[in-house]
């Protein structure tokens, strides 16, 4: 173990791979010292495990209805979080709902940041009329509240999980474009960019190979912090019946179906609401920790 640590912390790395491994190791040491970030990492890790092993750890089938056991309170033998109005086990539905939540988060995370990164780096690199056109387009999307714009898009596209993901992604990309543009403006006139340009590299190679990597840390931080908002918008669409459709165990849809029992059978809506709260808190805590680690301005703090 000490040999690996010596290799990772070598001030004179022998290769690019060793240098990158050393940076990752130092970043891990910094985030490990941040208790709140570690708490967020644990919550996100639990979400991943829930999604991966839901069929193994769920005590019941989340789709099987048993009207003789409807609206059982938490703590009932075999139904630790109670049952809903169709007698379905709430714990099992929350565990399977983690899969849907993670599916939505993953799809948005690989679409919206990529689009925003492309728009922002191109606008910042070329400037002029290209920058003006792309940024005015970004401003148009930013002028609408994300949830309202997502509702309008889903109303046009139709309800469903794929359309919900598309609507969320189309409303989530503008902040990434702004972040990428700001980072690009700081590096486009750097000496190393000029050196690469003098070597004959084209615009595409410069943007993809030298500008985009400089923007990745800021975008990753923004992605992690935005995941809580993505979860809330997806839950909002499900609550309004425009996202995931029954009988899938999506958390927002579960809250919607349980709102009419909120005063007497409070657990039907409260349990999925707590799941949304805890997971959103986990992503926010992890995002704050990653910002402290990846932000070069905090490297000396």
């Amino acid at each position: 173990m000490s040999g690996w640590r010596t290799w990772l912390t070598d001030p004179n790395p022998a290769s690019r791979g060793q240098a990158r491994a050393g940076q990752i190791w130092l970043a891990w040491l910094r985030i490990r010292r941040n208790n709140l970030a570690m708490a967020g990492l644990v919550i996100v890790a639990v979400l991943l495990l829930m999604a991966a092993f839901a069929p193994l750890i769920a005590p019941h089938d989340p789709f099987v209805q048993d009207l003789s056991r409807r609206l059982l309170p938490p703590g009932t033998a075999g139904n630790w979080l109670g049952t809903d109005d169709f007698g379905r086990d709430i714990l099992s539905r929350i565990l399977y709902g983690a899969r849907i939540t993670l599916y939505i988060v993953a799809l948005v995370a690989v679409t919206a940041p990529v689009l925003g990164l492309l728009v922002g780096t191109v606008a910042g690199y070329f400037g002029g009329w290209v920058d003006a056109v792309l940024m005015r387009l970004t401003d148009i999307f930013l002028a609408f509240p994300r949830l309202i714009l997502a509702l309008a898009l889903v109303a046009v596209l139709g309800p469903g999980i794929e359309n919900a993901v598309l609507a969320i992604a189309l409303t989530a990309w503008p902040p990434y474009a702004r972040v990428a543009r700001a980072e690009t403006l700081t590096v486009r006139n750097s000496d190393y960019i000029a050196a690469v340009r003098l070597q004959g590299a084209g615009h595409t190679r410069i943007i993809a190979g030298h500008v985009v990597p400089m923007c990745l840390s800021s975008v990753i931080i923004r992605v992690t912090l935005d995941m809580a908002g993505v979860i809330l918008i997806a839950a909002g669409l499900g609550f309004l019946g425009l996202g995931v459709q029954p009988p899938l165990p999506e958390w927002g849809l579960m809250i919607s179906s349980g709102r009419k029992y909120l005063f007497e059978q409070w657990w039907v809506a409260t349990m999925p609401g707590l799941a949304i709260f805890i997971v959103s808190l986990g992503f926010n805590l992890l995002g704050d920790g990653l910002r402290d680690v990846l932000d070069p301005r905090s490297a000396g703090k």
Side-chain angles (χ1 to χ4, degrees):
M1 187 64 180
S2 60
W4 277 105
R5 289 183 178 179
T6 303
W7 183 79
L8 290 171
T9 57
D10 189 350
N12 299 308
S15 65
R16 182 179 299 178
Q18 182 180 358
R20 290 179 177 175
Q23 290 176 349
I24 294 173
W25 173 252
L26 293 177
W28 164 249
L29 292 179
R30 293 186 63 195
I31 199 172
R32 195 173 64 179
R33 291 194 294 266
N34 190 324
N35 294 330
L36 292 179
M38 288 301 297
L41 181 61
V42 169
I43 293 174
V44 174
V46 170
L47 174 67
L48 295 174
L49 293 175
M50 288 170 55
F53 299 105
L56 299 178
I57 60 180
H60 300 278
D61 190 316
F63 301 102
V64 172
Q65 302 179 12
D66 185 358
L67 297 181
S68 65
R69 298 180 61 82
R70 64 189 300 270
L71 300 176
L72 293 178
T76 303
N79 302 105
W80 302 111
L81 296 184
T83 60
D84 62 8
D85 51 332
F86 289 102
R88 297 172 297 194
D89 182 60
I90 293 178
L91 175 58
S92 299
R93 291 181 64 78
I94 288 177
L95 291 174
Y96 274 85
R99 287 187 158 192
I100 299 175
T101 298
L102 191 61
Y103 176 74
I104 294 174
V105 166
L107 286 183
V108 173
V110 299
T111 53
V114 173
L115 177 59
L117 191 61
L118 176 63
V119 172
T121 52
V122 170
Y125 179 80
F126 288 104
W129 67 269
V130 175
D131 184 24
V133 170
L134 292 178
M135 286 300 102
R136 297 300 76 76
L137 177 64
T138 303
D139 291 338
I140 292 174
F141 277 86
L142 287 173
F144 296 93
R146 287 179 60 179
L147 181 58
I148 302 301
L149 184 56
L151 287 173
L153 291 173
V154 172
V156 173
L157 299 172
I161 186 170
E162 291 81 9
N163 291 339
V165 170
L166 180 60
I168 296 173
L170 289 176
T171 61
W173 68 267
Y176 300 108
R178 284 291 187 88
V179 171
R181 176 181 179 271
E183 294 286 346
T184 303
L185 289 175
T186 62
V187 301
R188 68 175 182 178
N189 295 322
S190 301
D191 292 339
Y192 77 93
I193 296 293
V196 173
R197 191 180 292 116
L198 289 175
Q199 293 176 357
H203 297 311
T204 302
R205 179 182 173 186
I206 293 175
I207 293 175
H210 300 278
V211 176
V212 169
M214 296 299 296
C215 303
L216 282 180
S217 60
S218 298
V219 170
I220 290 173
I221 295 169
R222 181 79 195 200
V223 168
T224 310
L225 291 172
D226 274 0
M227 289 304 99
V230 170
I231 293 172
L232 292 176
I233 292 177
L237 294 176
F239 182 86
L240 296 173
L242 296 175
V244 178
Q245 297 298 295
L248 293 177
E250 195 272 327
W251 293 343
L253 186 61
M254 293 172 65
I255 296 176
S256 177
S257 64
R259 70 184 187 276
K260 53 182 174 291
Y261 306 105
L262 189 58
F263 292 104
E264 295 181 356
Q265 288 81 27
W266 53 268
W267 58 88
V268 180
T270 301
M271 296 306 178
L274 287 175
I276 295 174
F277 166 74
I278 293 172
V279 172
S280 300
L281 178 64
F283 275 110
N284 282 331
L285 293 177
L286 180 59
D288 286 338
L290 289 177
R291 179 178 57 194
D292 294 339
V293 170
L294 298 178
D295 188 352
R297 288 167 295 187
S298 65
K301 299 180 180 179

